[in-house]
């Protein structure tokens, strides 16, 4: 299976649910590949759904799986993917789990090694590159502005939460995202239960907008101090200053920077930046990196800055930019890579930036997307009293093309 380029350990050690309860093999699998809903199904019913059973059998047979196309695409344009990361982390459980798969693809016993359950869409921001499913603020804005509106119901299936809590003895690593996990009740229930069960060896990783480090009467730093492994914080930051506040509406940049620096001082916390690469920041990515370096937002030995190449909504992706803007972006990124190399930054960061160059040339869709881009920029600028051209002068001409 190591040589099987289509095999992934996730279907044996993991199940993912979105804030609305839709279940999938993992968070990056095809959004249309739903295997059930946690509001109406038990954990084991999702694990052994018809689609999951067939997926496991197809993987063992080395068959290409449409739901996994995102990983295949990533592997064509970069060294790794969610699939390769899953195998790196969990292939050690192969002998204990995969050979015991039932002939129909089901699992008699499920051991969740990797936790990524999103219990609701509670969030205090309205990021331009997000939507109502992952933000209660987006949800309310859509409702007020009269857009087609689908109510996102918080997962009130208490039995499902209990089933997930029962998996705590099996969990190696837990990934908390949202919505915004640091203002989500279930996040704190899980942490407190891990501590109660003596599972403070579980590795905790977060994607957070970093706007809050306290929730009700709970002090997050105090809870984290009880865990034996370093807490990994991927701070969702796409730019700094007014650009950050535009892209992630609700951001107060001074507060984010203050919280970031506060965590940077804690030796048990490894904090890095996770940037959604979009049309908004691709042309000034070099400026963003130089700002964070200048403000000493990287700790020596942990110079982590991940880039997520956003592909939806399509009209905001960097891929739709006209050719001359892409050429400008590539030129600036090449110069940035040279500067970072001379400053001693490691392979991981340089490689993250390097993969952008080929990726930018993989699609040319400006003519198909430009009208929707202009419409949505105008619509949200009007609702939020913002101004795209003033905030991103380097992109202002796009509104006239």
């Amino acid at each position: 299976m190591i040589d099987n380029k289509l095999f992934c350990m996730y279907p044996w050690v993991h199940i993912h649910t979105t804030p609305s309860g839709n279940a999938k093999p993992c968070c990056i699998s095809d959004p249309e590949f739903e295997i059930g809903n946690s509001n109406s199904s038990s954990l084991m019913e999702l694990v052994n759904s018809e689609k999951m059973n067939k997926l496991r059998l197809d993987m063992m047979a080395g068959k290409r799986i449409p739901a996994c196309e995102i990983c295949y695409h990533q592997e064509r344009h970069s060294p790794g993917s969610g699939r390769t990361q899953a195998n790196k982390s969990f292939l050690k459980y192969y002998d204990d789990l995969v050979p015991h798969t039932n002939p129909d693809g089901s699992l008699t016993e499920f051991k969740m090694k990797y936790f990524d359950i999103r219990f609701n869409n509670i969030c205090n921001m309205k990021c331009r590159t997000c939507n109502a499913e992952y933000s209660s603020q987006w949800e309310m804005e859509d409702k007020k502005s009269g857009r087609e509106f689908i109510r996102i119901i918080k997962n009130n299936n208490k039995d499902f939460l209990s089933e997930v809590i029962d998996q705590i003895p099996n969990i190696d690593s837990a990934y908390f995202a949202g919505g915004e996990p640091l203002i989500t009740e279930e996040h704190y229930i899980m942490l407190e239960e891990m501590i109660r069960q003596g599972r403070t060896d579980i590795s905790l990783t977060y994607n957070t907008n970093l706007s809050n480090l306290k929730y009700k009467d709970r002090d997050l730093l105090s809870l984290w101090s009880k865990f034996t492994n370093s807490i990994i914080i991927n701070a969702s930051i796409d730019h700094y200053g007014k650009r950050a506040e535009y892209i992630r509406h609700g951001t107060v940049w001074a507060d984010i920077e203050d919280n970031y620096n506060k965590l940077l001082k804690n030796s048990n916390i490894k904090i890095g930046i996770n940037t959604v690469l979009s049309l908004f920041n691709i042309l000034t990515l070099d400026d963003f990196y130089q700002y964070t370096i200048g403000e000493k937002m990287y700790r020596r030995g942990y110079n982590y800055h991940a880039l997520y190449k956003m592909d939806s909504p399509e009209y905001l992706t960097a891929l739709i930019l006209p050719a001359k803007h892409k050429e400008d972006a590539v030129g600036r990124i090449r110069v940035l890579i040279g500067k970072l190399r001379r400053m001693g930054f490691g392979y991981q960061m340089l490689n993250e930036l390097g993969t952008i160059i080929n990726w930018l040339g993989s699609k040319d869709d400006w003519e198909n997307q430009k009208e929707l881009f202009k419409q949505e920029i105008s619509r949200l600028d009007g609702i939020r009293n913002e101004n795209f051209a003033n905030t991103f002068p380097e992109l202002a001409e796009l509104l006239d093309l």
Side-chain angles (χ1 to χ4, degrees):
M1 287 303 160
I2 293 174
D3 295 328
N4 180 346
K5 301 301 182 183
L6 304 176
F7 179 80
C8 177
M9 278 298 297
Y10 273 150
W12 282 265
V13 301
H14 172 59
I15 206 80
H16 170 73
T17 64
T18 68
S20 57
N22 292 329
K24 305 193 302 172
C26 72
C27 69
I28 59 174
S29 56
D30 189 329
E32 301 300 317
F33 191 82
E34 295 176 7
I35 60 174
N37 192 288
S38 60
N39 283 295
S40 55
S41 300
S42 70
L43 180 63
M44 285 306 293
E45 285 171 341
L46 297 177
V47 167
N48 287 327
S49 64
E50 184 178 344
K51 285 185 176 180
M52 281 299 294
N53 293 347
K54 183 178 185 303
L55 185 148
R56 279 188 282 265
L57 292 177
D58 286 348
M59 279 190 174
M60 290 191 292
K63 293 182 180 179
R64 193 176 187 88
I65 297 164
C68 302
E69 281 296 331
I70 291 177
C71 277
Y72 304 153
H73 178 78
Q74 287 177 345
E75 290 167 26
R76 286 195 298 270
H77 297 281
S78 61
S81 67
R83 183 191 74 85
T84 57
Q85 183 57 50
N87 290 345
K88 181 180 178 181
S89 299
F90 304 111
L91 203 60
K92 60 188 175 184
Y93 295 114
Y94 179 93
D95 290 340
D96 292 333
L97 301 176
V98 180
H100 301 290
T101 307
N102 295 321
D104 66 351
S106 65
L107 304 178
T108 302
E109 184 180 12
F110 175 62
K111 293 183 178 180
M112 183 187 288
K113 299 297 181 182
Y114 176 50
F115 165 92
D116 179 11
I117 302 290
R118 321 282 175 93
F119 287 101
N120 57 60
N121 70 336
I122 293 172
C123 189
N124 55 351
M125 292 187 183
K126 296 181 288 188
C127 304
R128 290 273 178 154
T129 54
C130 192
N131 56 57
E133 183 170 11
Y134 292 94
S135 168
S136 53
Q137 291 294 311
W138 256 101
E139 186 182 359
M140 288 187 286
E141 182 178 84
D142 281 354
K143 184 177 182 180
K144 288 179 181 177
S145 61
R147 297 198 81 196
E148 184 177 342
F149 176 72
I150 299 174
R151 175 69 178 154
I152 306 299
I153 301 172
K154 178 180 177 180
N155 191 330
N156 289 316
N157 186 345
K158 294 182 180 179
D159 291 338
F160 186 79
L161 175 58
S162 296
E163 287 182 284
V164 174
I165 288 173
D166 288 342
Q167 289 287 335
I168 286 176
N170 300 320
I171 296 174
D172 280 3
S173 56
Y175 175 62
F176 292 100
E180 170 48 39
L182 303 190
I183 58 172
T184 302
E185 182 72 27
E186 288 83 357
H187 159 248
Y188 292 91
I189 291 173
M190 288 294 293
L191 281 195
E192 289 165 348
E193 190 61 26
M194 289 173 184
I195 294 168
R196 190 189 71 79
Q197 291 189 28
R199 288 304 320 278
T200 53
D201 59 330
I202 293 174
S203 296
L204 305 180
T205 301
Y206 290 82
N207 254 31
T208 167
N209 62 37
L210 219 59
S211 57
N212 293 274
L213 297 180
K214 291 189 177 182
Y215 177 75
K216 296 182 179 179
D217 61 342
R218 284 119 158 183
D219 185 286
L220 192 52
L221 291 177
S222 176
L223 290 171
W224 282 343
S225 70
K226 301 181 188 301
F227 286 81
T228 57
N229 293 315
S230 294
I231 311 297
I232 306 298
I233 305 295
N234 301 319
S236 296
I237 302 175
D238 300 332
H239 225 300
Y240 69 94
K242 65 179 183 178
R243 288 189 173 97
E245 293 175 346
Y246 182 100
I247 298 171
R248 295 183 178 267
H249 184 94
T251 294
V252 178
W253 176 248
D255 292 346
I256 304 301
E257 201 166 28
D258 183 58
N259 286 338
Y260 192 101
N261 289 326
K262 192 177 295 182
L263 295 185
L264 201 59
K265 295 174 183 176
N266 283 265
S267 59
N268 69 318
I269 294 173
K270 290 185 176 180
I271 182 168
I273 297 171
N274 188 60
T275 294
V276 175
L277 191 63
S278 69
L279 175 148
F280 295 115
N281 55 18
I282 187 69
L283 279 178
T284 53
L285 196 63
D286 54 341
D287 185 36
F288 176 40
Y289 271 72
Q290 290 179 73
Y291 177 87
T292 54
I293 292 167
E295 294 299 312
K296 297 182 172 55
M297 295 175 76
Y298 299 104
R299 177 184 289 157
R300 188 171 183 82
Y302 193 70
N303 299 326
Y304 179 81
H305 194 142
L307 295 168
Y308 170 66
K309 303 178 186 73
M310 184 194 84
D311 56 12
S312 178
E314 198 168 356
Y315 58 83
L316 292 181
T317 70
L319 294 176
I320 75 160
L321 283 170
K324 70 171 186 176
H325 292 80
K326 288 183 178 180
E327 290 170 9
D328 186 14
V330 168
R332 296 178 71 150
I333 288 169
R334 290 189 191 280
V335 171
L336 175 62
I337 290 172
K339 287 181 179 178
L340 295 181
R341 183 179 287 116
R342 290 191 294 274
M343 294 173 70
F345 280 84
Y347 168 81
Q348 183 177 7
M349 184 179 285
L350 300 179
N351 184 61
E352 285 271 12
L353 288 164
T355 61
I356 298 172
I357 295 171
N358 287 336
W359 173 76
L360 270 177
S362 66
K363 196 171 186 179
D364 181 13
D365 212 20
W366 172 248
E367 291 302 320
N368 293 329
Q369 298 294 330
K370 65 180 182 180
E371 292 308 320
L372 185 54
F373 159 73
K374 294 175 189 178
Q375 290 168 17
E376 285 300 293
I377 291 296
S378 176
R379 184 183 73 85
L380 287 181
D381 276 4
I383 292 171
R384 300 178 182 181
N385 193 30
E386 295 175 334
N387 190 300
F388 173 81
N390 288 347
T391 308
F392 305 95
E394 69 281 359
L395 296 170
E397 67 176 306
L398 294 180
L399 299 177
D400 299 319
L401 292 180

